[in-house]
Amino acid sequence: IVEEHRSVSMLFSSIVGYSTLTSTLPTMELIQMLNGLNSAFDDLCDKHGCFKVDTMEDTYVVVAGHENGEDDHANLVLRMALDMIDAVKKIEYPRHPGKHLQVRIGIHTGGAYAGVVGNKMLRYCFFGDTVTIARGMENTGFAMNVQVSAATKEKLGGRWELLDTGMRKIKDQGNMQAFVIKESRCAWESALKKAELVVLDQSQQSTKQHSSANASFATMLHSSNASFNIKHPGQGEAEPDRRMSVTQARRASMSSDERHLLQ
């Protein structure tokens, strides 16, 4: 059974610092924590009319728009995402009284394929770029924030205030524009600060690479000491040989910008 869906909205959520939890908590305590979290999220699926696709350890996947031709699926999923953030604030970090779990949430809207694969442990699974991008929006997102793609932003139709977090590198998709929801329940101010640091770091790396390339080019020219003779045609012995070094010859053929690098 395979179905094609022209437009759905998919949500991925994961626990911030989950690898630390798995390395420090007994397995039974970890399972109990995940059960409490997933049960709360399951109730929210019922509340918002969303479909639970899967859970993979700390990852929780939701979709809307594939049933009954629901056109407001982006809004449904976003409302659930905000309630998920509220729910997490009520779940304490194991063995740390007063400290609560944190999640990252990512949403993307687009076409997808869905169906049941195999003969055992049957599940209704989703496939396609929408799954990859939604996961990428979560992976590159920020703690206690909902990060959405440009496609989801468009589908929301201006009903929410969204803040630009710049280009995010999504696996197998390249750089994609992303936004976080400016909502009191979210830590959007922290997200913007971290996004600015990412952009600054990328800019510094680009400048460093450019400077390194220029330095290598200049070093190559300065390190050449070879020279050649220029003789006038039709003459035997050249006048006292006028020698032009390779460096000088290259300088003569350079553009003004390239010569500027050597000054």
Side-chain angles (χ1 to χ4, degrees), residues 129-171:
D129 288 343
T130 294
V131 180
T132 303
I133 297 171
R135 183 60 190 263
M137 287 293 138
E138 177 270 312
N139 275 336
T140 62
F142 308 91
M144 300 303 279
N145 275 280
V146 183
Q147 181 167 261
V148 306
S149 66
T152 299
K153 176 180 181 292
E154 181 180 355
K155 187 67 175 177
L156 289 170
R159 284 174 289 181
W160 301 83
E161 186 173 0
L162 295 102
L163 305 172
D164 191 342
T165 52
M167 304 299 288
R168 321 304 288 169
K169 188 173 183 180
I170 308 300
K171 182 179 178 181

mmCIF file of all heavy atoms in Angstrom, residues 129-171:
data_model
loop_
_atom_site.group_PDB
_atom_site.id
_atom_site.type_symbol
_atom_site.label_atom_id
_atom_site.label_comp_id
_atom_site.label_asym_id
_atom_site.label_seq_id
_atom_site.Cartn_x
_atom_site.Cartn_y
_atom_site.Cartn_z
ATOM 1 N N ASP A 129 11.762 13.753 0.618
ATOM 2 C CA ASP A 129 12.566 14.885 1.079
ATOM 3 C C ASP A 129 11.931 15.607 2.266
ATOM 4 O O ASP A 129 12.648 16.179 3.099
ATOM 5 C CB ASP A 129 12.769 15.889 -0.066
ATOM 6 C CG ASP A 129 13.722 15.369 -1.130
ATOM 7 O OD1 ASP A 129 14.460 14.395 -0.843
ATOM 8 O OD2 ASP A 129 13.738 15.938 -2.239
ATOM 9 N N THR A 130 10.616 15.591 2.344
ATOM 10 C CA THR A 130 9.956 16.280 3.460
ATOM 11 C C THR A 130 10.395 15.699 4.797
ATOM 12 O O THR A 130 10.599 16.423 5.774
ATOM 13 C CB THR A 130 8.427 16.194 3.312
ATOM 14 O OG1 THR A 130 8.039 16.944 2.160
ATOM 15 C CG2 THR A 130 7.706 16.742 4.526
ATOM 16 N N VAL A 131 10.568 14.389 4.842
ATOM 17 C CA VAL A 131 11.033 13.733 6.071
ATOM 18 C C VAL A 131 12.447 14.196 6.400
ATOM 19 O O VAL A 131 12.760 14.566 7.540
ATOM 20 C CB VAL A 131 10.995 12.199 5.914
ATOM 21 C CG1 VAL A 131 11.482 11.523 7.195
ATOM 22 C CG2 VAL A 131 9.597 11.723 5.549
ATOM 23 N N THR A 132 13.311 14.207 5.386
ATOM 24 C CA THR A 132 14.710 14.606 5.579
ATOM 25 C C THR A 132 14.822 16.049 6.059
ATOM 26 O O THR A 132 15.587 16.369 6.977
ATOM 27 C CB THR A 132 15.488 14.450 4.265
ATOM 28 O OG1 THR A 132 15.389 13.093 3.813
ATOM 29 C CG2 THR A 132 16.958 14.809 4.452
ATOM 30 N N ILE A 133 14.046 16.939 5.437
ATOM 31 C CA ILE A 133 14.133 18.360 5.776
ATOM 32 C C ILE A 133 13.565 18.632 7.170
ATOM 33 O O ILE A 133 14.129 19.422 7.939
ATOM 34 C CB ILE A 133 13.435 19.215 4.711
ATOM 35 C CG1 ILE A 133 14.153 19.050 3.358
ATOM 36 C CG2 ILE A 133 13.410 20.681 5.122
ATOM 37 C CD1 ILE A 133 13.413 19.679 2.191
ATOM 38 N N ALA A 134 12.453 17.986 7.503
ATOM 39 C CA ALA A 134 11.884 18.161 8.840
ATOM 40 C C ALA A 134 12.882 17.720 9.899
ATOM 41 O O ALA A 134 13.065 18.393 10.928
ATOM 42 C CB ALA A 134 10.583 17.375 8.972
ATOM 43 N N ARG A 135 13.546 16.602 9.650
ATOM 44 C CA ARG A 135 14.571 16.133 10.595
ATOM 45 C C ARG A 135 15.732 17.133 10.665
ATOM 46 O O ARG A 135 16.268 17.405 11.748
ATOM 47 C CB ARG A 135 15.084 14.754 10.167
ATOM 48 C CG ARG A 135 16.116 14.157 11.139
ATOM 49 C CD ARG A 135 15.507 14.009 12.518
ATOM 50 N NE ARG A 135 16.488 13.667 13.533
ATOM 51 C CZ ARG A 135 16.728 12.432 13.958
ATOM 52 N NH1 ARG A 135 16.064 11.416 13.426
ATOM 53 N NH2 ARG A 135 17.593 12.209 14.908
ATOM 54 N N GLY A 136 16.098 17.689 9.528
ATOM 55 C CA GLY A 136 17.170 18.681 9.507
ATOM 56 C C GLY A 136 16.809 19.950 10.258
ATOM 57 O O GLY A 136 17.655 20.559 10.922
ATOM 58 N N MET A 137 15.543 20.376 10.160
ATOM 59 C CA MET A 137 15.103 21.553 10.904
ATOM 60 C C MET A 137 15.220 21.310 12.411
ATOM 61 O O MET A 137 15.550 22.216 13.183
ATOM 62 C CB MET A 137 13.650 21.899 10.548
ATOM 63 C CG MET A 137 13.485 22.514 9.167
ATOM 64 S SD MET A 137 14.252 24.151 9.060
ATOM 65 C CE MET A 137 15.019 24.059 7.450
ATOM 66 N N GLU A 138 14.968 20.095 12.829
ATOM 67 C CA GLU A 138 15.138 19.754 14.253
ATOM 68 C C GLU A 138 16.613 19.683 14.618
ATOM 69 O O GLU A 138 17.051 20.251 15.623
ATOM 70 C CB GLU A 138 14.434 18.419 14.544
ATOM 71 C CG GLU A 138 14.607 17.917 15.970
ATOM 72 C CD GLU A 138 15.827 17.026 16.133
ATOM 73 O OE1 GLU A 138 16.018 16.104 15.317
ATOM 74 O OE2 GLU A 138 16.605 17.274 17.076
ATOM 75 N N ASN A 139 17.413 18.990 13.799
ATOM 76 C CA ASN A 139 18.840 18.802 14.093
ATOM 77 C C ASN A 139 19.588 20.120 14.219
ATOM 78 O O ASN A 139 20.521 20.249 15.017
ATOM 79 C CB ASN A 139 19.501 17.960 12.996
ATOM 80 C CG ASN A 139 19.349 16.477 13.245
ATOM 81 O OD1 ASN A 139 19.164 16.046 14.370
ATOM 82 N ND2 ASN A 139 19.414 15.690 12.186
ATOM 83 N N THR A 140 19.239 21.101 13.392
ATOM 84 C CA THR A 140 19.946 22.388 13.392
ATOM 85 C C THR A 140 19.216 23.438 14.224
ATOM 86 O O THR A 140 19.576 24.608 14.192
ATOM 87 C CB THR A 140 20.098 22.910 11.948
ATOM 88 O OG1 THR A 140 18.800 23.143 11.371
ATOM 89 C CG2 THR A 140 20.848 21.910 11.079
ATOM 90 N N GLY A 141 18.205 22.999 14.949
ATOM 91 C CA GLY A 141 17.396 23.929 15.731
ATOM 92 C C GLY A 141 17.997 24.270 17.080
ATOM 93 O O GLY A 141 19.174 24.011 17.352
ATOM 94 N N PHE A 142 17.168 24.828 17.948
ATOM 95 C CA PHE A 142 17.627 25.368 19.225
ATOM 96 C C PHE A 142 16.751 24.853 20.359
ATOM 97 O O PHE A 142 15.557 24.605 20.168
ATOM 98 C CB PHE A 142 17.592 26.892 19.185
ATOM 99 C CG PHE A 142 18.315 27.475 17.999
ATOM 100 C CD1 PHE A 142 17.639 27.722 16.809
ATOM 101 C CD2 PHE A 142 19.668 27.740 18.062
ATOM 102 C CE1 PHE A 142 18.296 28.242 15.707
ATOM 103 C CE2 PHE A 142 20.340 28.263 16.964
ATOM 104 C CZ PHE A 142 19.660 28.508 15.784
ATOM 105 N N ALA A 143 17.361 24.719 21.535
ATOM 106 C CA ALA A 143 16.646 24.201 22.694
ATOM 107 C C ALA A 143 15.405 25.031 23.005
ATOM 108 O O ALA A 143 15.445 26.264 23.005
ATOM 109 C CB ALA A 143 17.577 24.178 23.913
ATOM 110 N N MET A 144 14.300 24.328 23.228
ATOM 111 C CA MET A 144 13.019 24.935 23.603
ATOM 112 C C MET A 144 12.540 25.946 22.563
ATOM 113 O O MET A 144 11.994 26.995 22.876
ATOM 114 C CB MET A 144 13.118 25.583 24.983
ATOM 115 C CG MET A 144 13.495 24.598 26.078
ATOM 116 S SD MET A 144 12.361 23.189 26.205
ATOM 117 C CE MET A 144 11.025 23.901 27.158
ATOM 118 N N ASN A 145 12.751 25.590 21.304
ATOM 119 C CA ASN A 145 12.284 26.407 20.188
ATOM 120 C C ASN A 145 11.681 25.516 19.105
ATOM 121 O O ASN A 145 12.001 24.321 19.009
ATOM 122 C CB ASN A 145 13.434 27.210 19.589
ATOM 123 C CG ASN A 145 13.681 28.506 20.329
ATOM 124 O OD1 ASN A 145 12.987 29.495 20.131
ATOM 125 N ND2 ASN A 145 14.679 28.492 21.219
ATOM 126 N N VAL A 146 10.834 26.131 18.295
ATOM 127 C CA VAL A 146 10.282 25.462 17.117
ATOM 128 C C VAL A 146 10.895 26.132 15.894
ATOM 129 O O VAL A 146 10.653 27.319 15.643
ATOM 130 C CB VAL A 146 8.746 25.584 17.066
ATOM 131 C CG1 VAL A 146 8.200 24.815 15.864
ATOM 132 C CG2 VAL A 146 8.119 25.078 18.359
ATOM 133 N N GLN A 147 11.690 25.388 15.144
ATOM 134 C CA GLN A 147 12.310 25.924 13.926
ATOM 135 C C GLN A 147 11.577 25.360 12.713
ATOM 136 O O GLN A 147 11.343 24.160 12.627
ATOM 137 C CB GLN A 147 13.790 25.547 13.862
ATOM 138 C CG GLN A 147 14.484 26.102 12.618
ATOM 139 C CD GLN A 147 15.999 26.003 12.691
ATOM 140 O OE1 GLN A 147 16.663 26.966 13.015
ATOM 141 N NE2 GLN A 147 16.545 24.832 12.368
ATOM 142 N N VAL A 148 11.217 26.240 11.787
ATOM 143 C CA VAL A 148 10.441 25.819 10.616
ATOM 144 C C VAL A 148 11.155 26.238 9.341
ATOM 145 O O VAL A 148 11.956 27.169 9.328
ATOM 146 C CB VAL A 148 9.012 26.407 10.642
ATOM 147 C CG1 VAL A 148 8.318 26.071 11.949
ATOM 148 C CG2 VAL A 148 9.040 27.919 10.428
ATOM 149 N N SER A 149 10.840 25.555 8.265
ATOM 150 C CA SER A 149 11.406 25.868 6.953
ATOM 151 C C SER A 149 10.634 27.011 6.299
ATOM 152 O O SER A 149 9.559 27.412 6.754
ATOM 153 C CB SER A 149 11.337 24.634 6.054
ATOM 154 O OG SER A 149 9.977 24.308 5.786
ATOM 155 N N ALA A 150 11.187 27.515 5.189
ATOM 156 C CA ALA A 150 10.514 28.578 4.441
ATOM 157 C C ALA A 150 9.170 28.085 3.891
ATOM 158 O O ALA A 150 8.207 28.852 3.809
ATOM 159 C CB ALA A 150 11.411 29.065 3.309
ATOM 160 N N ALA A 151 9.110 26.804 3.522
ATOM 161 C CA ALA A 151 7.857 26.249 2.996
ATOM 162 C C ALA A 151 6.768 26.238 4.064
ATOM 163 O O ALA A 151 5.598 26.548 3.787
ATOM 164 C CB ALA A 151 8.102 24.834 2.474
ATOM 165 N N THR A 152 7.138 25.904 5.287
ATOM 166 C CA THR A 152 6.163 25.923 6.382
ATOM 167 C C THR A 152 5.750 27.354 6.705
ATOM 168 O O THR A 152 4.572 27.636 6.958
ATOM 169 C CB THR A 152 6.740 25.252 7.635
ATOM 170 O OG1 THR A 152 7.046 23.881 7.333
ATOM 171 C CG2 THR A 152 5.742 25.277 8.789
ATOM 172 N N LYS A 153 6.710 28.256 6.679
ATOM 173 C CA LYS A 153 6.404 29.674 6.915
ATOM 174 C C LYS A 153 5.355 30.159 5.919
ATOM 175 O O LYS A 153 4.393 30.844 6.283
ATOM 176 C CB LYS A 153 7.678 30.518 6.787
ATOM 177 C CG LYS A 153 7.474 32.028 6.924
ATOM 178 C CD LYS A 153 8.796 32.761 6.790
ATOM 179 C CE LYS A 153 8.642 34.269 6.956
ATOM 180 N NZ LYS A 153 7.902 34.885 5.848
ATOM 181 N N GLU A 154 5.534 29.809 4.672
ATOM 182 C CA GLU A 154 4.576 30.225 3.635
ATOM 183 C C GLU A 154 3.207 29.611 3.890
ATOM 184 O O GLU A 154 2.171 30.267 3.733
ATOM 185 C CB GLU A 154 5.106 29.818 2.267
ATOM 186 C CG GLU A 154 4.205 30.230 1.118
ATOM 187 C CD GLU A 154 4.753 29.821 -0.240
ATOM 188 O OE1 GLU A 154 5.887 29.299 -0.294
ATOM 189 O OE2 GLU A 154 4.040 30.018 -1.242
ATOM 190 N N LYS A 155 3.202 28.344 4.281
ATOM 191 C CA LYS A 155 1.934 27.649 4.512
ATOM 192 C C LYS A 155 1.182 28.232 5.714
ATOM 193 O O LYS A 155 -0.057 28.258 5.730
ATOM 194 C CB LYS A 155 2.201 26.157 4.747
ATOM 195 C CG LYS A 155 0.948 25.301 4.825
ATOM 196 C CD LYS A 155 0.219 25.244 3.489
ATOM 197 C CE LYS A 155 -0.964 24.292 3.536
ATOM 198 N NZ LYS A 155 -1.722 24.276 2.259
ATOM 199 N N LEU A 156 1.912 28.741 6.686
ATOM 200 C CA LEU A 156 1.276 29.338 7.865
ATOM 201 C C LEU A 156 0.553 30.634 7.516
ATOM 202 O O LEU A 156 -0.339 31.078 8.248
ATOM 203 C CB LEU A 156 2.315 29.588 8.961
ATOM 204 C CG LEU A 156 2.867 28.339 9.647
ATOM 205 C CD1 LEU A 156 4.054 28.691 10.522
ATOM 206 C CD2 LEU A 156 1.780 27.638 10.463
ATOM 207 N N GLY A 157 0.960 31.257 6.438
ATOM 208 C CA GLY A 157 0.226 32.402 5.918
ATOM 209 C C GLY A 157 0.246 33.658 6.770
ATOM 210 O O GLY A 157 -0.735 34.410 6.793
ATOM 211 N N GLY A 158 1.321 33.893 7.486
ATOM 212 C CA GLY A 158 1.436 35.134 8.239
ATOM 213 C C GLY A 158 0.675 35.174 9.541
ATOM 214 O O GLY A 158 0.529 36.243 10.146
ATOM 215 N N ARG A 159 0.182 34.040 10.000
ATOM 216 C CA ARG A 159 -0.590 34.036 11.248
ATOM 217 C C ARG A 159 0.294 34.012 12.485
ATOM 218 O O ARG A 159 -0.186 34.177 13.606
ATOM 219 C CB ARG A 159 -1.534 32.829 11.259
ATOM 220 C CG ARG A 159 -2.752 33.002 10.373
ATOM 221 C CD ARG A 159 -3.579 31.743 10.284
ATOM 222 N NE ARG A 159 -2.915 30.710 9.504
ATOM 223 C CZ ARG A 159 -3.453 29.516 9.265
ATOM 224 N NH1 ARG A 159 -4.626 29.214 9.782
ATOM 225 N NH2 ARG A 159 -2.800 28.634 8.531
ATOM 226 N N TRP A 160 1.589 33.771 12.292
ATOM 227 C CA TRP A 160 2.521 33.730 13.412
ATOM 228 C C TRP A 160 3.698 34.644 13.110
ATOM 229 O O TRP A 160 4.046 34.867 11.953
ATOM 230 C CB TRP A 160 3.036 32.306 13.640
ATOM 231 C CG TRP A 160 1.973 31.307 13.932
ATOM 232 C CD1 TRP A 160 1.185 30.650 13.015
ATOM 233 C CD2 TRP A 160 1.551 30.853 15.217
ATOM 234 N NE1 TRP A 160 0.309 29.805 13.657
ATOM 235 C CE2 TRP A 160 0.513 29.908 15.012
ATOM 236 C CE3 TRP A 160 1.956 31.144 16.511
ATOM 237 C CZ2 TRP A 160 -0.117 29.263 16.065
ATOM 238 C CZ3 TRP A 160 1.333 30.492 17.568
ATOM 239 C CH2 TRP A 160 0.295 29.562 17.344
ATOM 240 N N GLU A 161 4.323 35.147 14.164
ATOM 241 C CA GLU A 161 5.532 35.949 13.973
ATOM 242 C C GLU A 161 6.725 35.013 13.955
ATOM 243 O O GLU A 161 6.953 34.258 14.905
ATOM 244 C CB GLU A 161 5.688 36.976 15.092
ATOM 245 C CG GLU A 161 6.857 37.924 14.853
ATOM 246 C CD GLU A 161 6.931 39.063 15.858
ATOM 247 O OE1 GLU A 161 6.067 39.125 16.750
ATOM 248 O OE2 GLU A 161 7.876 39.882 15.746
ATOM 249 N N LEU A 162 7.468 35.073 12.875
ATOM 250 C CA LEU A 162 8.631 34.202 12.723
ATOM 251 C C LEU A 162 9.902 35.030 12.586
ATOM 252 O O LEU A 162 9.906 36.089 11.956
ATOM 253 C CB LEU A 162 8.472 33.296 11.497
ATOM 254 C CG LEU A 162 7.320 32.291 11.593
ATOM 255 C CD1 LEU A 162 6.140 32.780 10.774
ATOM 256 C CD2 LEU A 162 7.748 30.921 11.115
ATOM 257 N N LEU A 163 10.985 34.544 13.173
ATOM 258 C CA LEU A 163 12.265 35.235 13.175
ATOM 259 C C LEU A 163 13.286 34.453 12.364
ATOM 260 O O LEU A 163 13.425 33.235 12.530
ATOM 261 C CB LEU A 163 12.762 35.404 14.618
ATOM 262 C CG LEU A 163 11.786 36.093 15.566
ATOM 263 C CD1 LEU A 163 12.294 36.022 17.003
ATOM 264 C CD2 LEU A 163 11.563 37.540 15.154
ATOM 265 N N ASP A 164 13.973 35.145 11.498
ATOM 266 C CA ASP A 164 14.940 34.521 10.591
ATOM 267 C C ASP A 164 16.174 34.056 11.374
ATOM 268 O O ASP A 164 16.816 34.837 12.066
ATOM 269 C CB ASP A 164 15.340 35.549 9.532
ATOM 270 C CG ASP A 164 16.135 34.930 8.390
ATOM 271 O OD1 ASP A 164 16.670 33.827 8.560
ATOM 272 O OD2 ASP A 164 16.214 35.570 7.333
ATOM 273 N N THR A 165 16.505 32.774 11.256
ATOM 274 C CA THR A 165 17.717 32.247 11.893
ATOM 275 C C THR A 165 18.808 31.951 10.861
ATOM 276 O O THR A 165 19.790 31.280 11.165
ATOM 277 C CB THR A 165 17.415 30.966 12.696
ATOM 278 O OG1 THR A 165 16.713 30.029 11.869
ATOM 279 C CG2 THR A 165 16.572 31.280 13.910
ATOM 280 N N GLY A 166 18.624 32.448 9.645
ATOM 281 C CA GLY A 166 19.666 32.291 8.635
ATOM 282 C C GLY A 166 19.582 30.972 7.894
ATOM 283 O O GLY A 166 18.581 30.259 7.939
ATOM 284 N N MET A 167 20.661 30.658 7.197
ATOM 285 C CA MET A 167 20.723 29.433 6.412
ATOM 286 C C MET A 167 21.198 28.281 7.292
ATOM 287 O O MET A 167 22.173 28.407 8.029
ATOM 288 C CB MET A 167 21.687 29.613 5.232
ATOM 289 C CG MET A 167 21.346 30.786 4.327
ATOM 290 S SD MET A 167 19.707 30.644 3.553
ATOM 291 C CE MET A 167 20.025 29.330 2.372
ATOM 292 N N ARG A 168 20.496 27.166 7.204
ATOM 293 C CA ARG A 168 20.874 25.979 7.962
ATOM 294 C C ARG A 168 21.290 24.889 6.971
ATOM 295 O O ARG A 168 20.640 24.683 5.942
ATOM 296 C CB ARG A 168 19.718 25.462 8.815
ATOM 297 C CG ARG A 168 18.883 26.533 9.466
ATOM 298 C CD ARG A 168 19.690 27.476 10.314
ATOM 299 N NE ARG A 168 20.142 26.850 11.551
ATOM 300 C CZ ARG A 168 21.034 27.404 12.365
ATOM 301 N NH1 ARG A 168 21.572 28.565 12.039
ATOM 302 N NH2 ARG A 168 21.372 26.805 13.478
ATOM 303 N N LYS A 169 22.357 24.196 7.273
ATOM 304 C CA LYS A 169 22.840 23.145 6.387
ATOM 305 C C LYS A 169 22.089 21.859 6.676
ATOM 306 O O LYS A 169 22.239 21.254 7.733
ATOM 307 C CB LYS A 169 24.346 22.940 6.573
ATOM 308 C CG LYS A 169 24.953 21.991 5.543
ATOM 309 C CD LYS A 169 26.464 21.956 5.647
ATOM 310 C CE LYS A 169 27.050 21.067 4.551
ATOM 311 N NZ LYS A 169 28.542 21.020 4.627
ATOM 312 N N ILE A 170 21.280 21.424 5.703
ATOM 313 C CA ILE A 170 20.451 20.239 5.860
ATOM 314 C C ILE A 170 21.064 19.079 5.070
ATOM 315 O O ILE A 170 21.395 19.234 3.893
ATOM 316 C CB ILE A 170 19.011 20.497 5.360
ATOM 317 C CG1 ILE A 170 18.439 21.761 6.024
ATOM 318 C CG2 ILE A 170 18.126 19.287 5.629
ATOM 319 C CD1 ILE A 170 18.352 21.715 7.524
ATOM 320 N N LYS A 171 21.201 17.959 5.706
ATOM 321 C CA LYS A 171 21.813 16.793 5.075
ATOM 322 C C LYS A 171 21.102 16.437 3.772
ATOM 323 O O LYS A 171 19.879 16.366 3.704
ATOM 324 C CB LYS A 171 21.751 15.591 6.030
ATOM 325 C CG LYS A 171 22.409 14.333 5.485
ATOM 326 C CD LYS A 171 22.322 13.195 6.485
ATOM 327 C CE LYS A 171 22.947 11.933 5.907
ATOM 328 N NZ LYS A 171 22.841 10.797 6.864
#
